[in-house]
Amino acid sequence: MTDKRSRIVVVGNTKGGSGKSTIAMHLIVACLRRGKSVASVDADVGQRTLTKYVNNRRAYGQKESRALPVSDHIALEKSTQDTVRAAHAEEQERFVALLTGLAQANDIVVIDTPGADTFLNRLCHTFADTLITPLNDSFVDLDVLAQVEGEALKITAPSHYSEMVWEQKIRRASAKRGAVDWVVLRNRLSNLDARNKRAMGAALDELSRRFGFRTLAGLGERVIYRELFPLGLTLLDLPRAGEPFQMAHVAARQEIRGFLEALRLF
Ligand SMILES: Nc1ncnc2c1ncn2[C@@H]1O[C@H](COP(=O)(O)OP(=O)(O)O)[C@@H](O)[C@H]1O
Ligand SMILES: [Mg+2]
């Protein structure tokens, strides 16, 4: 890719329901509200959550005559070529052309990926300058990074996703595209299970040393994230006209700003 000027951020984790699309949308709106030009790409050709989120936002903005900043959004299509080889070749060619254009025209490109290991998903990971892996604060979800056993939480082997990231890192290095900043973002943090939180923290510290990622505190567990999707809104767009100001939302916005700073994108 030539004349690239933007930062490419991939939100990835081959587990569904870890918060990828929610975090992608909050990141997009946070960057837009800072005056950055943002392109968004939905590589989850099956679910299209981010595309629906963006469409909901456009519809809500029109209905309420409210000027909501929106990204330049593209939903990727799966190739319909007959053979796997031809399909992959087409997907790669289209993706590289698209990304080159978006990267030249925007400050930041945010790519949301599927919770599955697909050719397109791997391709997205190779182009990440920053890779954000949201992880629910649970040992069930930690399994996407490594196999952890017993009460002593012994790390026995890397998991499929860590191996996939590793492979894409090597490809990226051989293409001389510089190092990827891999960030594991803890999602759905709760104040209730301090013991689990500490144990997760210790396991993540150990894994971060082995696999070379940084760990950041992400979003707290809040029902509001589910309610905002149909309106296409994020916490950064609240309060809505006529709605009361809520302290909980201020705290949540602070979390988002905190992780945005720590991402060091600009
Ligand atoms: N911090 C959070 N607090 C509460 N619910 C959340 C949080 N983050 C995500 N969710 C909810 O979890 C579900 C999965 O999130 P989503 O962003 O679609 O994950 P993914 O894209 O990884 O599949 C959605 O219902 C979403 O609203
Ligand atoms: Mg998703």
mmCIF file with all atom_site columns, all heavy atoms in Angstrom, residues 119-138:
data_model
loop_
_atom_site.group_PDB
_atom_site.id
_atom_site.type_symbol
_atom_site.label_atom_id
_atom_site.label_alt_id
_atom_site.label_comp_id
_atom_site.label_asym_id
_atom_site.label_entity_id
_atom_site.label_seq_id
_atom_site.pdbx_PDB_ins_code
_atom_site.Cartn_x
_atom_site.Cartn_y
_atom_site.Cartn_z
_atom_site.occupancy
_atom_site.B_iso_or_equiv
_atom_site.pdbx_formal_charge
_atom_site.auth_seq_id
_atom_site.auth_comp_id
_atom_site.auth_asym_id
_atom_site.auth_atom_id
_atom_site.pdbx_PDB_model_num
ATOM 1   N N   . PHE A 1 119 ? -10.806 -16.485 5.947  1.00 0.00 ? 119 PHE A N   1
ATOM 2   C CA  . PHE A 1 119 ? -9.715  -15.920 5.140  1.00 0.00 ? 119 PHE A CA  1
ATOM 3   C C   . PHE A 1 119 ? -9.685  -14.400 5.281  1.00 0.00 ? 119 PHE A C   1
ATOM 4   O O   . PHE A 1 119 ? -8.647  -13.791 5.519  1.00 0.00 ? 119 PHE A O   1
ATOM 5   C CB  . PHE A 1 119 ? -9.909  -16.327 3.672  1.00 0.00 ? 119 PHE A CB  1
ATOM 6   C CG  . PHE A 1 119 ? -8.905  -15.698 2.762  1.00 0.00 ? 119 PHE A CG  1
ATOM 7   C CD1 . PHE A 1 119 ? -7.608  -16.195 2.685  1.00 0.00 ? 119 PHE A CD1 1
ATOM 8   C CD2 . PHE A 1 119 ? -9.247  -14.603 1.998  1.00 0.00 ? 119 PHE A CD2 1
ATOM 9   C CE1 . PHE A 1 119 ? -6.667  -15.591 1.859  1.00 0.00 ? 119 PHE A CE1 1
ATOM 10  C CE2 . PHE A 1 119 ? -8.306  -13.997 1.169  1.00 0.00 ? 119 PHE A CE2 1
ATOM 11  C CZ  . PHE A 1 119 ? -7.020  -14.494 1.097  1.00 0.00 ? 119 PHE A CZ  1
ATOM 12  N N   . LEU A 1 120 ? -10.872 -13.800 5.161  1.00 0.00 ? 120 LEU A N   1
ATOM 13  C CA  . LEU A 1 120 ? -10.992 -12.350 5.236  1.00 0.00 ? 120 LEU A CA  1
ATOM 14  C C   . LEU A 1 120 ? -10.559 -11.827 6.613  1.00 0.00 ? 120 LEU A C   1
ATOM 15  O O   . LEU A 1 120 ? -9.914  -10.789 6.727  1.00 0.00 ? 120 LEU A O   1
ATOM 16  C CB  . LEU A 1 120 ? -12.454 -11.983 4.954  1.00 0.00 ? 120 LEU A CB  1
ATOM 17  C CG  . LEU A 1 120 ? -12.763 -10.638 4.330  1.00 0.00 ? 120 LEU A CG  1
ATOM 18  C CD1 . LEU A 1 120 ? -11.863 -10.329 3.155  1.00 0.00 ? 120 LEU A CD1 1
ATOM 19  C CD2 . LEU A 1 120 ? -14.227 -10.588 3.906  1.00 0.00 ? 120 LEU A CD2 1
ATOM 20  N N   . ASN A 1 121 ? -10.917 -12.557 7.637  1.00 0.00 ? 121 ASN A N   1
ATOM 21  C CA  . ASN A 1 121 ? -10.543 -12.154 8.991  1.00 0.00 ? 121 ASN A CA  1
ATOM 22  C C   . ASN A 1 121 ? -9.025  -12.144 9.145  1.00 0.00 ? 121 ASN A C   1
ATOM 23  O O   . ASN A 1 121 ? -8.435  -11.193 9.669  1.00 0.00 ? 121 ASN A O   1
ATOM 24  C CB  . ASN A 1 121 ? -11.197 -13.099 10.011 1.00 0.00 ? 121 ASN A CB  1
ATOM 25  C CG  . ASN A 1 121 ? -11.199 -12.501 11.419 1.00 0.00 ? 121 ASN A CG  1
ATOM 26  O OD1 . ASN A 1 121 ? -10.675 -11.413 11.649 1.00 0.00 ? 121 ASN A OD1 1
ATOM 27  N ND2 . ASN A 1 121 ? -11.790 -13.206 12.362 1.00 0.00 ? 121 ASN A ND2 1
ATOM 28  N N   . ARG A 1 122 ? -8.370  -13.173 8.656  1.00 0.00 ? 122 ARG A N   1
ATOM 29  C CA  . ARG A 1 122 ? -6.893  -13.226 8.716  1.00 0.00 ? 122 ARG A CA  1
ATOM 30  C C   . ARG A 1 122 ? -6.274  -12.073 7.931  1.00 0.00 ? 122 ARG A C   1
ATOM 31  O O   . ARG A 1 122 ? -5.324  -11.448 8.384  1.00 0.00 ? 122 ARG A O   1
ATOM 32  C CB  . ARG A 1 122 ? -6.387  -14.551 8.150  1.00 0.00 ? 122 ARG A CB  1
ATOM 33  C CG  . ARG A 1 122 ? -6.587  -15.662 9.123  1.00 0.00 ? 122 ARG A CG  1
ATOM 34  C CD  . ARG A 1 122 ? -6.007  -16.962 8.645  1.00 0.00 ? 122 ARG A CD  1
ATOM 35  N NE  . ARG A 1 122 ? -6.265  -17.934 9.679  1.00 0.00 ? 122 ARG A NE  1
ATOM 36  C CZ  . ARG A 1 122 ? -5.323  -18.531 10.401 1.00 0.00 ? 122 ARG A CZ  1
ATOM 37  N NH1 . ARG A 1 122 ? -4.062  -18.292 10.171 1.00 0.00 ? 122 ARG A NH1 1
ATOM 38  N NH2 . ARG A 1 122 ? -5.652  -19.367 11.367 1.00 0.00 ? 122 ARG A NH2 1
ATOM 39  N N   . LEU A 1 123 ? -6.866  -11.805 6.780  1.00 0.00 ? 123 LEU A N   1
ATOM 40  C CA  . LEU A 1 123 ? -6.362  -10.729 5.937  1.00 0.00 ? 123 LEU A CA  1
ATOM 41  C C   . LEU A 1 123 ? -6.432  -9.389  6.701  1.00 0.00 ? 123 LEU A C   1
ATOM 42  O O   . LEU A 1 123 ? -5.472  -8.620  6.720  1.00 0.00 ? 123 LEU A O   1
ATOM 43  C CB  . LEU A 1 123 ? -7.219  -10.677 4.658  1.00 0.00 ? 123 LEU A CB  1
ATOM 44  C CG  . LEU A 1 123 ? -6.718  -9.828  3.518  1.00 0.00 ? 123 LEU A CG  1
ATOM 45  C CD1 . LEU A 1 123 ? -5.372  -10.343 3.015  1.00 0.00 ? 123 LEU A CD1 1
ATOM 46  C CD2 . LEU A 1 123 ? -7.729  -9.871  2.362  1.00 0.00 ? 123 LEU A CD2 1
ATOM 47  N N   . CYS A 1 124 ? -7.565  -9.138  7.334  1.00 0.00 ? 124 CYS A N   1
ATOM 48  C CA  . CYS A 1 124 ? -7.719  -7.899  8.122  1.00 0.00 ? 124 CYS A CA  1
ATOM 49  C C   . CYS A 1 124 ? -6.626  -7.808  9.177  1.00 0.00 ? 124 CYS A C   1
ATOM 50  O O   . CYS A 1 124 ? -6.023  -6.748  9.375  1.00 0.00 ? 124 CYS A O   1
ATOM 51  C CB  . CYS A 1 124 ? -9.065  -7.873  8.847  1.00 0.00 ? 124 CYS A CB  1
ATOM 52  S SG  . CYS A 1 124 ? -10.475 -7.771  7.750  1.00 0.00 ? 124 CYS A SG  1
ATOM 53  N N   . HIS A 1 125 ? -6.368  -8.910  9.859  1.00 0.00 ? 125 HIS A N   1
ATOM 54  C CA  . HIS A 1 125 ? -5.373  -8.904  10.934 1.00 0.00 ? 125 HIS A CA  1
ATOM 55  C C   . HIS A 1 125 ? -3.972  -8.548  10.419 1.00 0.00 ? 125 HIS A C   1
ATOM 56  O O   . HIS A 1 125 ? -3.192  -7.940  11.141 1.00 0.00 ? 125 HIS A O   1
ATOM 57  C CB  . HIS A 1 125 ? -5.352  -10.252 11.657 1.00 0.00 ? 125 HIS A CB  1
ATOM 58  C CG  . HIS A 1 125 ? -6.430  -10.380 12.693 1.00 0.00 ? 125 HIS A CG  1
ATOM 59  N ND1 . HIS A 1 125 ? -7.763  -10.502 12.366 1.00 0.00 ? 125 HIS A ND1 1
ATOM 60  C CD2 . HIS A 1 125 ? -6.372  -10.362 14.049 1.00 0.00 ? 125 HIS A CD2 1
ATOM 61  C CE1 . HIS A 1 125 ? -8.471  -10.563 13.475 1.00 0.00 ? 125 HIS A CE1 1
ATOM 62  N NE2 . HIS A 1 125 ? -7.662  -10.484 14.523 1.00 0.00 ? 125 HIS A NE2 1
ATOM 63  N N   . THR A 1 126 ? -3.656  -8.919  9.183  1.00 0.00 ? 126 THR A N   1
ATOM 64  C CA  . THR A 1 126 ? -2.324  -8.600  8.640  1.00 0.00 ? 126 THR A CA  1
ATOM 65  C C   . THR A 1 126 ? -2.134  -7.100  8.462  1.00 0.00 ? 126 THR A C   1
ATOM 66  O O   . THR A 1 126 ? -1.003  -6.627  8.427  1.00 0.00 ? 126 THR A O   1
ATOM 67  C CB  . THR A 1 126 ? -2.116  -9.214  7.232  1.00 0.00 ? 126 THR A CB  1
ATOM 68  O OG1 . THR A 1 126 ? -3.124  -10.157 6.987  1.00 0.00 ? 126 THR A OG1 1
ATOM 69  C CG2 . THR A 1 126 ? -0.773  -9.830  7.064  1.00 0.00 ? 126 THR A CG2 1
ATOM 70  N N   . PHE A 1 127 ? -3.213  -6.353  8.301  1.00 0.00 ? 127 PHE A N   1
ATOM 71  C CA  . PHE A 1 127 ? -3.085  -4.917  8.047  1.00 0.00 ? 127 PHE A CA  1
ATOM 72  C C   . PHE A 1 127 ? -3.203  -4.050  9.300  1.00 0.00 ? 127 PHE A C   1
ATOM 73  O O   . PHE A 1 127 ? -3.166  -2.829  9.217  1.00 0.00 ? 127 PHE A O   1
ATOM 74  C CB  . PHE A 1 127 ? -4.120  -4.472  7.002  1.00 0.00 ? 127 PHE A CB  1
ATOM 75  C CG  . PHE A 1 127 ? -3.739  -4.905  5.620  1.00 0.00 ? 127 PHE A CG  1
ATOM 76  C CD1 . PHE A 1 127 ? -4.227  -6.086  5.097  1.00 0.00 ? 127 PHE A CD1 1
ATOM 77  C CD2 . PHE A 1 127 ? -2.858  -4.154  4.861  1.00 0.00 ? 127 PHE A CD2 1
ATOM 78  C CE1 . PHE A 1 127 ? -3.852  -6.509  3.832  1.00 0.00 ? 127 PHE A CE1 1
ATOM 79  C CE2 . PHE A 1 127 ? -2.475  -4.565  3.596  1.00 0.00 ? 127 PHE A CE2 1
ATOM 80  C CZ  . PHE A 1 127 ? -2.972  -5.753  3.073  1.00 0.00 ? 127 PHE A CZ  1
ATOM 81  N N   . ALA A 1 128 ? -3.375  -4.686  10.452 1.00 0.00 ? 128 ALA A N   1
ATOM 82  C CA  . ALA A 1 128 ? -3.597  -3.908  11.679 1.00 0.00 ? 128 ALA A CA  1
ATOM 83  C C   . ALA A 1 128 ? -2.333  -3.192  12.138 1.00 0.00 ? 128 ALA A C   1
ATOM 84  O O   . ALA A 1 128 ? -1.295  -3.817  12.326 1.00 0.00 ? 128 ALA A O   1
ATOM 85  C CB  . ALA A 1 128 ? -4.080  -4.831  12.786 1.00 0.00 ? 128 ALA A CB  1
ATOM 86  N N   . ASP A 1 129 ? -2.430  -1.860  12.314 1.00 0.00 ? 129 ASP A N   1
ATOM 87  C CA  . ASP A 1 129 ? -1.362  -1.141  13.021 1.00 0.00 ? 129 ASP A CA  1
ATOM 88  C C   . ASP A 1 129 ? -1.610  -1.312  14.516 1.00 0.00 ? 129 ASP A C   1
ATOM 89  O O   . ASP A 1 129 ? -0.696  -1.438  15.310 1.00 0.00 ? 129 ASP A O   1
ATOM 90  C CB  . ASP A 1 129 ? -1.394  0.353   12.679 1.00 0.00 ? 129 ASP A CB  1
ATOM 91  C CG  . ASP A 1 129 ? -1.163  0.608   11.202 1.00 0.00 ? 129 ASP A CG  1
ATOM 92  O OD1 . ASP A 1 129 ? -0.235  -0.006  10.640 1.00 0.00 ? 129 ASP A OD1 1
ATOM 93  O OD2 . ASP A 1 129 ? -1.915  1.396   10.610 1.00 0.00 ? 129 ASP A OD2 1
ATOM 94  N N   . THR A 1 130 ? -2.902  -1.255  14.872 1.00 0.00 ? 130 THR A N   1
ATOM 95  C CA  . THR A 1 130 ? -3.319  -1.526  16.255 1.00 0.00 ? 130 THR A CA  1
ATOM 96  C C   . THR A 1 130 ? -4.356  -2.641  16.196 1.00 0.00 ? 130 THR A C   1
ATOM 97  O O   . THR A 1 130 ? -5.292  -2.563  15.400 1.00 0.00 ? 130 THR A O   1
ATOM 98  C CB  . THR A 1 130 ? -3.965  -0.279  16.901 1.00 0.00 ? 130 THR A CB  1
ATOM 99  O OG1 . THR A 1 130 ? -3.008  0.785   16.924 1.00 0.00 ? 130 THR A OG1 1
ATOM 100 C CG2 . THR A 1 130 ? -4.420  -0.550  18.329 1.00 0.00 ? 130 THR A CG2 1
ATOM 101 N N   . LEU A 1 131 ? -4.156  -3.659  17.005 1.00 0.00 ? 131 LEU A N   1
ATOM 102 C CA  . LEU A 1 131 ? -5.149  -4.733  17.085 1.00 0.00 ? 131 LEU A CA  1
ATOM 103 C C   . LEU A 1 131 ? -5.754  -4.699  18.482 1.00 0.00 ? 131 LEU A C   1
ATOM 104 O O   . LEU A 1 131 ? -5.039  -4.816  19.481 1.00 0.00 ? 131 LEU A O   1
ATOM 105 C CB  . LEU A 1 131 ? -4.480  -6.094  16.841 1.00 0.00 ? 131 LEU A CB  1
ATOM 106 C CG  . LEU A 1 131 ? -5.322  -7.333  17.153 1.00 0.00 ? 131 LEU A CG  1
ATOM 107 C CD1 . LEU A 1 131 ? -6.576  -7.389  16.269 1.00 0.00 ? 131 LEU A CD1 1
ATOM 108 C CD2 . LEU A 1 131 ? -4.498  -8.613  16.960 1.00 0.00 ? 131 LEU A CD2 1
ATOM 109 N N   . ILE A 1 132 ? -7.070  -4.484  18.533 1.00 0.00 ? 132 ILE A N   1
ATOM 110 C CA  . ILE A 1 132 ? -7.752  -4.473  19.830 1.00 0.00 ? 132 ILE A CA  1
ATOM 111 C C   . ILE A 1 132 ? -8.503  -5.787  19.978 1.00 0.00 ? 132 ILE A C   1
ATOM 112 O O   . ILE A 1 132 ? -9.355  -6.121  19.152 1.00 0.00 ? 132 ILE A O   1
ATOM 113 C CB  . ILE A 1 132 ? -8.767  -3.311  19.915 1.00 0.00 ? 132 ILE A CB  1
ATOM 114 C CG1 . ILE A 1 132 ? -8.073  -1.966  19.668 1.00 0.00 ? 132 ILE A CG1 1
ATOM 115 C CG2 . ILE A 1 132 ? -9.477  -3.306  21.272 1.00 0.00 ? 132 ILE A CG2 1
ATOM 116 C CD1 . ILE A 1 132 ? -9.044  -0.790  19.643 1.00 0.00 ? 132 ILE A CD1 1
ATOM 117 N N   . THR A 1 133 ? -8.191  -6.522  21.022 1.00 0.00 ? 133 THR A N   1
ATOM 118 C CA  . THR A 1 133 ? -8.904  -7.770  21.293 1.00 0.00 ? 133 THR A CA  1
ATOM 119 C C   . THR A 1 133 ? -9.725  -7.598  22.562 1.00 0.00 ? 133 THR A C   1
ATOM 120 O O   . THR A 1 133 ? -9.179  -7.624  23.664 1.00 0.00 ? 133 THR A O   1
ATOM 121 C CB  . THR A 1 133 ? -7.912  -8.942  21.454 1.00 0.00 ? 133 THR A CB  1
ATOM 122 O OG1 . THR A 1 133 ? -7.188  -9.086  20.230 1.00 0.00 ? 133 THR A OG1 1
ATOM 123 C CG2 . THR A 1 133 ? -8.621  -10.252 21.767 1.00 0.00 ? 133 THR A CG2 1
ATOM 124 N N   . PRO A 1 134 ? -11.044 -7.393  22.417 1.00 0.00 ? 134 PRO A N   1
ATOM 125 C CA  . PRO A 1 134 ? -11.865 -7.288  23.622 1.00 0.00 ? 134 PRO A CA  1
ATOM 126 C C   . PRO A 1 134 ? -12.040 -8.676  24.236 1.00 0.00 ? 134 PRO A C   1
ATOM 127 O O   . PRO A 1 134 ? -12.176 -9.657  23.521 1.00 0.00 ? 134 PRO A O   1
ATOM 128 C CB  . PRO A 1 134 ? -13.215 -6.757  23.123 1.00 0.00 ? 134 PRO A CB  1
ATOM 129 C CG  . PRO A 1 134 ? -13.077 -6.553  21.664 1.00 0.00 ? 134 PRO A CG  1
ATOM 130 C CD  . PRO A 1 134 ? -11.859 -7.263  21.203 1.00 0.00 ? 134 PRO A CD  1
ATOM 131 N N   . LEU A 1 135 ? -12.016 -8.693  25.547 1.00 0.00 ? 135 LEU A N   1
ATOM 132 C CA  . LEU A 1 135 ? -12.110 -9.974  26.239 1.00 0.00 ? 135 LEU A CA  1
ATOM 133 C C   . LEU A 1 135 ? -13.054 -9.811  27.416 1.00 0.00 ? 135 LEU A C   1
ATOM 134 O O   . LEU A 1 135 ? -12.838 -8.942  28.255 1.00 0.00 ? 135 LEU A O   1
ATOM 135 C CB  . LEU A 1 135 ? -10.703 -10.325 26.744 1.00 0.00 ? 135 LEU A CB  1
ATOM 136 C CG  . LEU A 1 135 ? -10.443 -11.746 27.127 1.00 0.00 ? 135 LEU A CG  1
ATOM 137 C CD1 . LEU A 1 135 ? -10.348 -12.611 25.884 1.00 0.00 ? 135 LEU A CD1 1
ATOM 138 C CD2 . LEU A 1 135 ? -9.137  -11.828 27.900 1.00 0.00 ? 135 LEU A CD2 1
ATOM 139 N N   . ASN A 1 136 ? -14.089 -10.623 27.453 1.00 0.00 ? 136 ASN A N   1
ATOM 140 C CA  . ASN A 1 136 ? -14.969 -10.568 28.619 1.00 0.00 ? 136 ASN A CA  1
ATOM 141 C C   . ASN A 1 136 ? -14.181 -11.055 29.825 1.00 0.00 ? 136 ASN A C   1
ATOM 142 O O   . ASN A 1 136 ? -13.314 -11.917 29.711 1.00 0.00 ? 136 ASN A O   1
ATOM 143 C CB  . ASN A 1 136 ? -16.198 -11.453 28.405 1.00 0.00 ? 136 ASN A CB  1
ATOM 144 C CG  . ASN A 1 136 ? -17.182 -10.799 27.454 1.00 0.00 ? 136 ASN A CG  1
ATOM 145 O OD1 . ASN A 1 136 ? -17.230 -9.576  27.339 1.00 0.00 ? 136 ASN A OD1 1
ATOM 146 N ND2 . ASN A 1 136 ? -17.942 -11.607 26.766 1.00 0.00 ? 136 ASN A ND2 1
ATOM 147 N N   . ASP A 1 137 ? -14.464 -10.472 30.972 1.00 0.00 ? 137 ASP A N   1
ATOM 148 C CA  . ASP A 1 137 ? -13.664 -10.757 32.142 1.00 0.00 ? 137 ASP A CA  1
ATOM 149 C C   . ASP A 1 137 ? -14.047 -12.109 32.749 1.00 0.00 ? 137 ASP A C   1
ATOM 150 O O   . ASP A 1 137 ? -14.603 -12.174 33.841 1.00 0.00 ? 137 ASP A O   1
ATOM 151 C CB  . ASP A 1 137 ? -13.847 -9.615  33.153 1.00 0.00 ? 137 ASP A CB  1
ATOM 152 C CG  . ASP A 1 137 ? -12.512 -9.226  33.753 1.00 0.00 ? 137 ASP A CG  1
ATOM 153 O OD1 . ASP A 1 137 ? -11.524 -9.228  33.009 1.00 0.00 ? 137 ASP A OD1 1
ATOM 154 O OD2 . ASP A 1 137 ? -12.456 -8.953  34.957 1.00 0.00 ? 137 ASP A OD2 1
ATOM 155 N N   . SER A 1 138 ? -13.703 -13.155 32.023 1.00 0.00 ? 138 SER A N   1
ATOM 156 C CA  . SER A 1 138 ? -14.071 -14.485 32.500 1.00 0.00 ? 138 SER A CA  1
ATOM 157 C C   . SER A 1 138 ? -13.065 -15.496 31.953 1.00 0.00 ? 138 SER A C   1
ATOM 158 O O   . SER A 1 138 ? -12.551 -15.322 30.840 1.00 0.00 ? 138 SER A O   1
ATOM 159 C CB  . SER A 1 138 ? -15.482 -14.808 32.005 1.00 0.00 ? 138 SER A CB  1
ATOM 160 O OG  . SER A 1 138 ? -15.571 -16.127 31.568 1.00 0.00 ? 138 SER A OG  1
#
